[in-house]
Amino acid sequence: MLGLKDSDPIPEGMSIRDLVPAEYHGQVDEYLLEIAARGRHEGLVTMVCSDGGKRVLEYRNTLITDGAGRPCGVRGCARDITDRLRTARERAVLQDRLQRAQKMEAIGLLAGGVAHDLNNILSGLVSYPDFLLMELPAGSPLRKPLMTIKRSGEKAANIVQDLLTMARRGVRVSEAVNLN
C-alpha cells in the first residue's frame, strides 16, 4: 500500500512516526499510549507512501508482548480507504450540485407560473388604454393618465417576459419578421 517492498530492509530505529506526516505525529503519540494501555487500537491514519503521496488507512492493531509481558511489537491489519473517501467527497459535491439544480428548477417553475398569471392580469392594463384612447378627443385631460397606465403596463409586461425567459432557461430574442 505504501510502495515499500518486503525485500527492502527496515532501517534500524525506524518507527511509525517515520511513515506518518508531521502534522499527524500527535495522533501517533496518542495511538502509542492507547495501545500500550489497552493492548489494542483501531482507527484511521494518513500514511506517506514511498513516492511521497499520502494514503488513508483504516487499521486494527494489537500489542505483542514477550514472555515477560513487556511490549515488543504490534500486529495488525490495515485497509486502504483513500479511494473510498475521495469517492464519498465527490458524491457529496455532486449531491450538493443536484440539490442546487433542483432548487433552481423549482424556482423556475414558480416564476413561470407567476409570470403566466401576471400576464393574464396585465393584458387588460396594456390593451384597454388603447381602446379608450381611440375614443377620447385629442385634447382630453384623461389622455395623459391613460398613457401613463399603458406605459406602466408595458413595463410590467416586459418584466413578466423576463421571468418567463428565466423560467424557460433561455434567452429571449425579439426579431421583426415580414409576414409576406
Side-chain angles (χ1 to χ4, degrees):
M1 284 185 276
L2 302 178
L4 303 172
K5 296 179 185 150
D6 289 339
S7 60
D8 291 343
I10 297 175
E12 185 69 33
M14 183 177 182
S15 78
I16 187 82
R17 289 174 67 105
D18 298 320
L19 297 172
V20 177
E23 65 259 28
Y24 299 107
H25 283 181
Q27 290 176 359
V28 170
D29 294 340
E30 289 175 22
Y31 158 77
L32 292 172
L33 288 172
E34 185 165 335
I35 201 164
R38 291 186 40 212
R40 65 182 185 281
H41 195 272
E42 59 187 61
L44 301 177
V45 64
T46 301
M47 303 287 276
V48 178
C49 299
S50 61
D51 64 2
K54 294 179 182 177
R55 307 297 291 173
V56 178
L57 307 179
E58 179 180 52
Y59 66 88
R60 288 189 174 159
N61 293 337
T62 305
L63 185 65
I64 300 172
T65 56
D66 61 15
R70 293 182 303 241
C72 63
V74 175
R75 174 183 35 239
C77 64
R79 180 179 3 180
D80 185 351
I81 61 169
T82 308
D83 294 335
R84 186 172 72 188
L85 292 175
R86 185 181 329 107
T87 302
R89 282 192 298 272
E90 290 170 358
R91 185 180 299 125
V93 167
L94 291 174
Q95 207 52 30
D96 185 48
R97 284 185 190 167
L98 176 63
Q99 287 175 349
R100 272 190 264 134
Q102 288 172 335
K103 286 178 189 176
M104 290 305 293
E105 184 177 353
I107 289 170
L109 286 172
L110 177 65
V114 169
H116 281 294
D117 290 344
L118 283 175
N119 234 1
N120 293 336
I121 295 167
L122 288 172
S123 64
L125 287 174
V126 172
S127 59
Y128 286 133
D130 281 332
F131 295 136
L132 294 172
L133 287 169
M134 285 190 283
E135 300 295 322
L136 286 176
S140 172
L142 294 178
R143 284 187 86 67
K144 188 174 179 182
L146 283 173
M147 287 302 291
T148 302
I149 291 170
K150 180 182 174 183
R151 280 193 301 273
S152 296
E154 288 170 348
K155 286 179 184 177
N158 285 334
I159 292 170
V160 168
Q161 283 305 315
D162 290 344
L163 269 176
L164 282 171
T165 300
M166 184 188 85
R168 292 182 191 124
R169 294 183 185 167
V171 176
R172 187 175 124 202
V173 177
S174 297
E175 182 179 325
V177 177
N178 182 352
L179 296 179
N180 290 332

